[in-house]
């Protein structure tokens, strides 16, 4: 009787790919992150059959699996294994569809422009919601007179971030938010000078300034570079400038000409 002993030496190497591994692990498309289960059981309960280990919306494990490695039409829970283009990591496939927001980018408006609705759309066809990072610059509201559309009201000049969101429903997961800048430029005003030819009477002479739109504050008037009202006969260069939160204007320049007053001569014996 002959006994033959065969010895095998195996240089084993653990290969892990397309997995979520706490602490990380070298391998193709491995992730080191919380997979975000819907309702996991605390680890101190192990072993247990409690908990919901389907992936929550926004999980890093969504749609990053290996389709080539998948041979099953159903996941561990008996649901469809391919819901979106790429399968999820893990034994359960999230059944909600993905959606995205498009059609948005930086917007430039001018103070005084009418209220408007951004042109964003969700791939799901669901209604977008908007919010403003500074309602004192741009205010989001629902226009009940126009089909309850969300619109943006310009409050003052400045720059503000607008966030577009879509929270999903039973069929679609929430879309990734889109943040875009809304820049509101100052509107253009005009300055018109008047009362440019007063007659000397010993008092300071001021020009009048009409603004369009009417009643703007923030005017600065100088006479030959000085804010003091001139009193003497002569010609003075007048410059009027506007400093305003919501309007800009080209300086108005003209001459103030204070004319000589008429004198009366009386003869006597």
């Amino acid at each position: 009787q002959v006994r033959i002993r065969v010895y095998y030496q195996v240089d084993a190497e653990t290969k892990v790919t397309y997995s979520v591994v706490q602490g990380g692990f070298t391998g193709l498309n491995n992730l080191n992150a919380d997979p975000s289960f819907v309702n996991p059981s605390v680890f101190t309960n192990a072993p247990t059959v409690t908990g919901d280990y389907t992936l929550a919306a926004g999980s890093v494990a969504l749609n990053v699996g290996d389709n080539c490695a998948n041979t099953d039409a159903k996941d561990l829970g008996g649901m469809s294994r391919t819901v979106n283009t790429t399968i999820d990591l893990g034994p359960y496939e999230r059944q909600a569809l993905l959606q995205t927001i498009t059609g948005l980018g930086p917007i430039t408006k001018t103070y005084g422009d009418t209220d408007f609705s951004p042109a964003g759309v969700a791939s799901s066809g669901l209604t977008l919601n908007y919010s403003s990072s500074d309602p004192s610059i741009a205010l989001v509201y629902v226009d009940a007179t126009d089909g309850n559309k969300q619109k943006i009201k310009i409050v003052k000049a400045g720059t503000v971030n607008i966030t577009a969101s879509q929270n999903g429903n039973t069929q679609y997961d929430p879309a990734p938010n889109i943040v875009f800048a809304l820049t509101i430029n100052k509107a253009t005003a005009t300055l018109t000078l008047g009362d440019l030819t007063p007659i000397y009477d010993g008092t300071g002479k001021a020009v009048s300034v009409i603004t369009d739109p009417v009643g703007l504050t923030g005017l600065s008037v100088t006479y030959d570079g000085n804010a003091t009202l001139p009193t003497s006969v002569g010609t003075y260069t007048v410059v009027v400038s506007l400093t305003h939160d919501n309007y800009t204007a080209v300086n108005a320049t003209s001459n103030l000409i204070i004319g000589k007053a008429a004198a009366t001569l009386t003869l006597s014996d």
Side-chain angles (χ1 to χ4, degrees):
Q1 183 177 8
V2 179
R3 294 182 178 179
I4 300 176
R5 294 183 178 179
V6 179
Y7 296 88
Y8 294 93
Q9 180 176 348
V10 179
D11 293 326
E13 179 183 358
T14 301
K15 291 185 178 181
V16 178
T17 60
Y18 290 92
S19 298
V20 178
V21 182
Q22 183 178 5
F25 200 95
T26 302
L28 181 63
N29 286 358
N30 288 333
L31 303 176
N32 176 20
D34 184 349
S36 300
F37 298 120
V38 169
N39 185 28
S41 178
V42 295
F43 72 93
T44 53
N45 289 341
T48 180
V49 294
T50 63
D52 184 349
Y53 287 90
T54 55
L55 297 173
S59 168
V60 297
L62 293 174
N63 309 298
V64 292
D66 183 6
N67 286 354
C68 295
N70 175 51
T71 59
D72 298 316
K74 302 292 184 181
D75 67 5
L76 187 61
M79 305 298 290
S80 175
R81 189 53 173 142
T82 305
V83 175
N84 293 289
T85 304
T86 306
I87 65 172
D88 301 336
L89 295 182
Y92 297 102
E93 188 77 12
R94 184 167 178 81
Q95 298 302 302
L97 296 171
L98 297 179
Q99 61 169 328
T100 57
I101 298 172
T102 57
L104 294 173
I107 295 176
T108 300
K109 293 287 185 178
T110 300
Y111 179 78
D113 284 352
T114 58
D115 302 351
F116 68 98
S117 295
V121 294
S123 59
S124 61
L126 298 174
T127 301
L128 294 182
N129 297 309
Y130 295 95
S131 61
S132 170
S133 64
D134 190 344
S136 72
I137 297 176
L139 178 67
V140 177
Y141 72 100
V142 175
D143 189 350
T145 66
D146 189 13
N148 290 324
K149 293 180 181 177
Q150 287 200 3
K151 293 186 177 181
I152 298 177
K153 177 183 292 293
I154 293 171
V155 180
K156 67 180 181 181
T159 299
V160 62
N161 284 333
I162 304 296
T163 300
S165 61
Q166 213 310 304
N167 295 328
N169 57 15
T170 57
Q171 185 179 3
Y172 287 92
D173 270 341
N177 290 350
I178 298 295
V179 180
F180 60 94
L182 170 60
T183 300
I184 303 167
N185 293 325
K186 293 183 178 182
T188 300
T190 58
L191 308 176
T192 303
L193 300 180
D195 299 322
L196 295 171
T197 57
I199 300 301
Y200 171 80
D201 63 3
T203 63
K205 300 303 179 184
V207 298
S208 62
V209 184
I210 299 175
T211 65
D212 183 12
V214 175
L216 294 181
T217 59
L219 296 175
S220 174
V221 184
T222 61
Y223 304 85
D224 284 346
N226 195 315
T228 302
L229 297 180
T231 59
S232 301
V233 172
T235 299
Y236 302 86
T237 299
V238 181
V239 178
V240 180
S241 60
L242 175 68
T243 301
H244 196 279
D245 289 342
N246 297 315
Y247 289 92
T248 183
V250 175
N251 290 352
T253 303
S254 190
N255 289 325
L256 170 68
I257 302 173
I258 301 177
K260 293 180 179 181
T264 301
L265 302 177
T266 302
L267 298 177
S268 62
D269 295 337

